[in-house]
């Protein structure tokens, strides 16, 4: 038998899509060069990552980066316009200048919601921001209504430099993992989120500020993992009470 026969490329497209879905989005896109059969398979991947760092070079002048960012947004625009699958599992979006592309970002999030996305990651922080001045960086984007309206299916949510309405977190009743970063948040809001998300098991706060003290006291909490990374907490102490407090993993990382 000829060992050089490409048996994988001869599989049905439905199976190739499944194979591509196990790859990181950038690697899935690279499969387009393997053969004619793979050319457009990655365009139906169910794990989608729109990350401007794939397009924008941080060491180039701002004028160049602006053009590169426009190319990035145009890529995302064309991708969702031609996407044929009815469901996606993961969508990540990283864009440091969301104010320049509000309508496009709204469309991307409406696309994710319409496909019942299970894991949603939004990062609107700027790589040039300094961690020593957290409070100088207000949220660059506000979570839109369609995300809340379809929040029942979300299992994982990441919001960096993205403000939100705590009162709407009651729609995230299936949420198990939540990561918040580069935002102003107080302990009252954190407690309200825990009350609204009864299935929450993993909570991560990175580069957050305005936290007077950190105290969790919730009898029915399922929280198993807590990460506090480079947060500005007024009082140096963490108090956790609850049925799973003895097995809860708490990781505090300082700058």
């Amino acid at each position: 038998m000829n060992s050089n026969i490409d048996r994988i490329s001869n599989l049905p497209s439905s199976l190739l899509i499944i194979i591509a879905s196990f790859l990181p989005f950038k690697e899935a896109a690279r499969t387009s060069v393997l053969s004619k059969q793979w050319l457009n398979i990655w365009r139906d991947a169910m794990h989608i990552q729109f990350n401007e760092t794939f397009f924008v070079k941080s060491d180039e002048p701002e004028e160049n980066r602006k053009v590169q960012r426009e190319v990035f947004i145009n890529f995302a625009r064309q991708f969702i316009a031609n996407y044929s699958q009815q469901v996606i599992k993961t969508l990540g979006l990283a864009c440091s200048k969301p104010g320049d592309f509000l309508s496009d970002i709204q469309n991307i999030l409406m696309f994710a919601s319409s496909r019942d996305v299970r894991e949603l990651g939004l990062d609107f922080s700027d790589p040039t921001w300094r961690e020593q001045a957290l409070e100088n960086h207000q949220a660059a984007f506000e979570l839109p209504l369609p995300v809340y309206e379809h929040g029942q299916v979300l299992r994982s949510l990441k919001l960096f430099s993205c403000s939100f309405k705590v009162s709407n977190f009651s729609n995230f009743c299936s949420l198990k993992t939540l990561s918040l970063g580069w935002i102003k948040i107080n302990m009252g809001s954190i407690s309200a989120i825990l009350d609204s998300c009864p299935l929450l098991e993993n909570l991560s706060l990175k580069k957050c500020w305005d936290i007077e003290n950190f105290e969790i006291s919730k009898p029915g909490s399922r929280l198993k993992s807590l990460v506090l990374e480079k947060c500005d907490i007024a009082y140096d102490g963490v108090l956790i009470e609850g049925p799973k407090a003895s097995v809860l993993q708490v990781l505090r990382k300082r700058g």
Side-chain angles (χ1 to χ4, degrees):
M1 295 179 64
N2 188 348
S3 60
N4 293 324
I5 294 177
D6 183 359
R7 300 184 185 280
I8 294 180
S9 293
N10 290 327
L11 293 172
S13 295
S14 57
L15 292 180
L16 295 181
I17 291 172
I18 293 174
I19 293 172
S21 293
F22 282 101
L23 300 173
F25 187 63
K26 190 174 181 179
E27 298 303 320
R30 288 175 174 171
T31 63
S32 62
V33 303
L34 295 178
S35 68
K36 184 183 297 184
Q37 288 84 352
W38 284 96
L39 184 60
N40 293 308
I41 291 298
W42 70 277
R43 297 184 183 278
D44 287 322
M46 288 180 283
H47 298 280
I48 302 169
Q49 292 290 332
F50 296 135
N51 193 324
E52 72 169 33
T53 61
F54 297 164
F55 296 79
V56 182
K57 308 302 180 183
S58 60
D59 57 348
E60 294 196 11
E62 176 56 31
E63 279 301 311
N64 291 359
R65 282 181 283 159
K66 183 178 180 180
V67 174
Q68 293 166 353
R69 200 172 289 115
E70 290 173 351
V71 172
F72 158 63
I73 291 296
N74 185 61
F75 165 81
R77 186 187 300 131
Q78 296 298 321
F79 184 92
I80 65 175
N82 295 290
Y83 192 80
S84 62
Q85 298 297 309
Q86 297 302 309
V87 175
I88 58 177
K89 296 181 179 179
T90 303
L91 187 138
L93 172 61
C95 178
S96 63
K97 304 291 183 183
D100 296 338
F101 308 100
L102 290 179
S103 62
D104 287 301
I105 291 175
Q106 293 277 357
N107 288 337
I108 291 172
L109 295 182
M110 289 180 65
F111 161 78
S113 298
S114 69
R115 297 305 200 280
D116 289 335
V117 64
R118 298 296 193 271
E119 300 179 13
L120 180 63
L122 305 176
D123 187 350
F124 301 111
S125 62
D126 192 316
T128 65
W129 286 352
R130 297 176 56 196
E131 297 173 358
Q132 293 79 5
L134 296 176
E135 67 278 3
N136 294 333
H137 305 299
Q138 298 303 311
F141 188 79
E142 182 176 354
L143 197 65
L145 185 60
V147 178
Y148 297 112
E149 291 177 340
H150 294 273
Q152 296 91 338
V153 300
L154 276 177
R155 301 294 185 270
S156 176
L157 179 63
K158 172 184 175 180
L159 301 175
F160 275 33
S161 192
C162 182
S163 62
F164 50 84
K165 294 182 179 178
V166 175
S167 58
N168 286 345
F169 257 75
S170 58
N171 289 347
F172 300 140
C173 53
S174 300
L175 200 65
K176 291 189 175 183
T177 299
L178 175 64
S179 181
L180 304 176
W182 284 109
I183 60 168
K184 175 181 179 181
I185 189 168
N186 56 43
M187 196 58 225
S189 295
I190 295 172
S191 297
I193 289 172
L194 291 173
D195 289 337
S196 298
C197 304
L199 301 183
L200 195 65
E201 297 179 352
N202 308 292
L203 175 62
S204 174
L205 302 177
K206 300 180 180 181
K207 304 181 183 72
C208 296
W209 64 95
D210 203 38
I211 304 174
E212 304 90 352
N213 62 310
F214 200 94
E215 179 178 339
I216 295 178
S217 180
K218 183 173 172 55
S221 175
R222 295 193 180 190
L223 204 61
K224 298 178 181 178
S225 174
L226 171 64
V227 174
L228 303 175
E229 181 176 341
K230 298 180 181 178
C231 292
D232 186 4
I233 302 177
Y235 299 98
D236 190 19
V238 176
L239 174 62
I240 302 171
E241 295 179 345
K244 295 185 180 296
S246 60
V247 296
L248 178 63
Q249 295 182 3
V250 181
L251 175 60
R252 295 194 65 182
K253 297 181 179 180
R254 300 180 181 274

